[in-house]
């Protein structure tokens, strides 16, 4: 859901998507190193999903929510991966 929201809010601004995803999930802005890592992760994942469209669609079909098929699958799957990576940081705390 967050990846979809960010792709719609910042369709042409990859850096803004990465910064906003990090801020939304950790309540702070990423530092230069963190932003560089997120940028590299997004680029690597986008390139992988460009050649594996079925893999992108499979990832986006996981879960109860329907994905917006007007969004490019490679970009959407890559953003989903970035969001997932941020959620695996120690700073991301889930209340139980």
């Amino acid at each position: 859901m967050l990846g979809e929201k960010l792709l719609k809010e910042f369709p042409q601004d990859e850096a803004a998507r990465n910064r906003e995803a990090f801020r939304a999930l950790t309540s702070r802005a990423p530092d230069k190193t963190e932003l560089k890592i997120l940028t590299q992760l997004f680029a690597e994942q986008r390139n992988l999903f460009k050649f594996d469209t079925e893999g992108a669609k499979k990832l986006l079909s996981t879960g109860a929510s329907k994905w917006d098929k007007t969004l490019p699958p490679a970009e959407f799957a890559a953003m989903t991966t970035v969001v997932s990576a941020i959620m695996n940081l120690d700073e991301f705390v889930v209340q139980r």
Side-chain angles (χ1 to χ4, degrees), residues 31-83:
D31 64 28
K32 287 182 182 182
T33 302
E34 291 164 332
L35 189 56
K36 182 178 176 182
I37 291 167
L38 294 175
T39 300
Q40 182 177 350
L41 175 62
F42 179 82
E44 289 172 357
Q45 292 298 302
R46 181 182 53 207
N47 288 338
L48 288 172
F49 286 122
K50 276 184 182 179
F51 294 104
D52 184 11
T53 305
E54 288 307 311
K57 290 177 181 179
K58 184 176 179 180
L59 173 64
L60 297 171
S61 297
T62 302
S65 299
K66 300 271 186 209
W67 59 284
D68 184 345
K69 294 183 178 159
T70 64
L71 296 172
E75 295 265 330
F76 194 174
M79 195 68 233
T80 299
T81 303
V82 168
V83 168

Side-chain angles (χ1 to χ4, degrees), residues 87-96:
M87 291 174 71
N88 280 297
L89 295 174
D90 289 340
E91 291 178 71
F92 179 76
V93 178
V94 178
Q95 287 185 329
R96 297 172 196 214

